[in-house]
């Protein structure tokens, strides 16, 4: 009995110390980076053009932003050059890597939502995506009211699934909804199906159309099922000091015009490995954000 009691106490102490260690780490991201001279970024492999693998290395607009963040953190902490480590994560494990502090910042297209803010911190937005639909140009589908009687392809697990379900109610249950395993498969199925559309983030639709053999055959709606939602870099919940430096870096990029160059590189220029031209102008909400920040922080222009 005594032996089992001591064993129980030992296990409780180990658990407490482990939790204490996690809490200290979670509140001390900046000190960990400063002491180790290292920052760890996580990224997704297949989220073109935000976060993907190119020639065995992470690439994408979110990855470029994180590289700039690393340079600024190194200067801010007096640790230059700061060593950068990258870990590739799956969509299912992207939040876990932040919660367990395997990653300091997630560099991908994470949507900043109220639910996610309960356990994560986010940078200021660097992109906005609306939920729209892509259709065959010959169908002349000008708005969502014209979708009655059509087959709607949507990726399983996407926030668009709920939006399509609500639209189906509005249109008197006249839609034929088909769940696909990925955006690529949904688009491929839509292309060979009459009277059909694919519903997803507009940036996903632009990317898929640009990469298709005949992009001129498809239209992307201006009528949205879900209004613009912000994409941001994500951080562990307690990394407040790190979040401040990340936001300062992002703000400087926006106000000095450097972000526009990064944006144009990924959305208005041809992108490897397939030389794809997405040709998507900067989201209007992001343009409004930049104008607001320019008026609020004019001193940054001098840098």
């Amino acid at each position: 009995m005594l032996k089992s009691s001591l064993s129980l106490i030992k296990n409780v102490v180990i658990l407490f110390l482990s939790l204490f260690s996690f809490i200290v780490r979670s509140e001390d991201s900046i000190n960990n980076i400063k002491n180790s001279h290292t920052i760890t970024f996580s990224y997704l492999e297949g989220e073109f053009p935000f976060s993907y693998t190119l020639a065995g290395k992470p690439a994408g607009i979110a990855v470029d932003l994180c590289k700039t963040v690393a340079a600024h953190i190194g200067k801010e902490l007096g640790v230059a050059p700061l060593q950068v480590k990258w870990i590739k994560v799956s969509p299912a494990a992207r939040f876990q890597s932040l919660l367990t502090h395997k990653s300091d910042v997630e560099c991908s297209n994470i949507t900043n939502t109220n639910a996610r803010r309960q356990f994560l911190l986010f940078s200021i937005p660097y992109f906005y995506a609306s939920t729209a639909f892509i259709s065959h140009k010959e169908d002349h589908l000008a708005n969502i009211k014209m979708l009655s009687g059509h087959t709607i392809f949507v990726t399983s697990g996407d926030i668009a699934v709920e939006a399509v379900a609500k639209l189906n109610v509005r249109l008197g249950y006249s839609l034929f909804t088909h769940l696909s395993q990925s955006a690529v498969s949904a688009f491929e199925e839509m292309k060979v199906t009459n009277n059909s559309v694919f519903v997803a983030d507009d940036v996903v639709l632009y990317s898929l159309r640009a990469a298709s053999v005949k992009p001129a055959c498809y239209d992307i709606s201006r009528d949205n099922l879900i209004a613009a939602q912000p994409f941001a870099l994500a951080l562990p919940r307690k990394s407040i000091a790190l979040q401040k430096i990340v936001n300062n870096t992002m703000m400087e990029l926006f106000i000095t015009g450097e972000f526009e160059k990064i944006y144009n590189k990924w959305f208005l220029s041809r992108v490897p490995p397939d030389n794809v031209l997405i040709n998507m102008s900067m989201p209007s909400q992001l343009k409004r954000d930049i104008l607001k920040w320019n008026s609020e922080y004019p001193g940054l222009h001098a840098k």
Side-chain angles (χ1 to χ4, degrees), residues 132-205:
F133 64 85
I134 189 168
S135 62
H136 301 269
K137 184 181 288 289
E138 61 189 22
D139 290 342
H140 304 289
L141 298 176
N143 56 62
I144 58 178
K145 294 179 181 179
M146 299 177 69
L147 296 182
S148 180
H150 284 71
T151 297
I152 312 297
F153 291 96
V154 62
T155 306
S156 180
D158 194 286
I159 60 173
V161 173
E162 183 178 355
V164 169
K166 290 180 179 179
L167 178 62
N168 200 16
V169 174
R170 286 173 52 192
L171 298 181
Y173 298 98
S174 61
L175 304 179
F176 303 94
T177 305
H178 180 83
L179 296 180
S180 301
Q181 293 304 308
S182 70
V184 173
S185 63
F187 184 50
E188 291 300 318
E189 290 172 300
M190 185 277 291
K191 288 195 296 185
V192 297
T193 306
N194 294 329
N195 299 317
S196 66
V197 303
F198 169 41
V199 175
D201 285 344
D202 54 2
V203 64
V204 172
L205 303 180

Side-chain angles (χ1 to χ4, degrees), residues 8 57 59 118 122 132 150 196 202 204 215 229 241 248 255 265:
L8 176 61
K57 296 181 180 180
Q118 302 304 310
F122 290 90
H150 284 71
S196 66
D202 54 2
V204 172
Q229 301 292 311
N248 287 343
I255 295 176
K265 168 186 172 183

Side-chain angles (χ1 to χ4, degrees), residues 263-284:
Y263 183 93
N264 291 347
K265 168 186 172 183
W266 292 102
F267 291 98
L268 297 176
S269 304
R270 295 198 174 275
V271 181
D274 299 319
N275 208 29
V276 170
L277 175 61
I278 296 174
N279 198 26
M280 182 178 183
S281 59
M282 188 178 293
S284 57

Side-chain angles (χ1 to χ4, degrees), residues 65-280:
L65 292 175
C66 282
K67 289 178 180 178
T68 305
V69 164
H72 279 245
I73 290 175
K75 293 177 182 178
E76 183 84 11
L77 300 181
V79 181
L82 186 67
Q83 183 179 354
V84 176
K85 289 185 177 180
W86 294 93
I87 58 172
K88 182 169 60 180
V89 295
S90 66
R94 65 195 311 187
F95 299 137
Q96 191 65 22
S97 69
L98 292 170
L99 294 174
T100 58
H101 280 259
K102 293 180 180 178
S103 169
D104 297 305
V105 183
E106 164 79 17
C107 311
S108 66
N109 53 329
I110 295 183
T111 305
N112 180 352
T113 66
N114 287 329
R116 290 171 179 174
R117 285 196 294 274
Q118 302 304 310
F119 58 93
L120 293 173
L121 292 179
F122 290 90
S123 70
I124 56 178
Y126 72 87
F127 196 84
Y128 287 87
S130 304
T131 299
F133 64 85
I134 189 168
S135 62
H136 301 269
K137 184 181 288 289
E138 61 189 22
D139 290 342
H140 304 289
L141 298 176
N143 56 62
I144 58 178
K145 294 179 181 179
M146 299 177 69
L147 296 182
S148 180
H150 284 71
T151 297
I152 312 297
F153 291 96
V154 62
T155 306
S156 180
D158 194 286
I159 60 173
V161 173
E162 183 178 355
V164 169
K166 290 180 179 179
L167 178 62
N168 200 16
V169 174
R170 286 173 52 192
L171 298 181
Y173 298 98
S174 61
L175 304 179
F176 303 94
T177 305
H178 180 83
L179 296 180
S180 301
Q181 293 304 308
S182 70
V184 173
S185 63
F187 184 50
E188 291 300 318
E189 290 172 300
M190 185 277 291
K191 288 195 296 185
V192 297
T193 306
N194 294 329
N195 299 317
S196 66
V197 303
F198 169 41
V199 175
D201 285 344
D202 54 2
V203 64
V204 172
L205 303 180
Y206 274 94
S207 300
L208 289 169
R209 183 176 69 173
S212 66
V213 177
K214 297 180 179 180
C217 292
Y218 309 101
D219 280 336
I220 296 172
S221 68
R222 295 184 179 276
D223 203 6
N224 298 321
L225 282 78
I226 301 177
Q229 301 292 311
F231 287 177
L233 306 180
L235 304 88
R237 187 71 179 88
K238 299 292 184 178
S239 300
I240 297 173
L242 178 57
Q243 181 195 38
K244 182 178 179 179
I245 297 179
V246 170
N247 280 340
N248 287 343
T249 303
M250 300 275 284
M251 189 71 72
E252 186 169 332
L253 286 173
F254 287 126
I255 295 176
T256 59
E258 288 301 311
F259 175 79
E260 186 174 1
K261 295 177 183 177
I262 296 174
Y263 183 93
N264 291 347
K265 168 186 172 183
W266 292 102
F267 291 98
L268 297 176
S269 304
R270 295 198 174 275
V271 181
D274 299 319
N275 208 29
V276 170
L277 175 61
I278 296 174
N279 198 26
M280 182 178 183

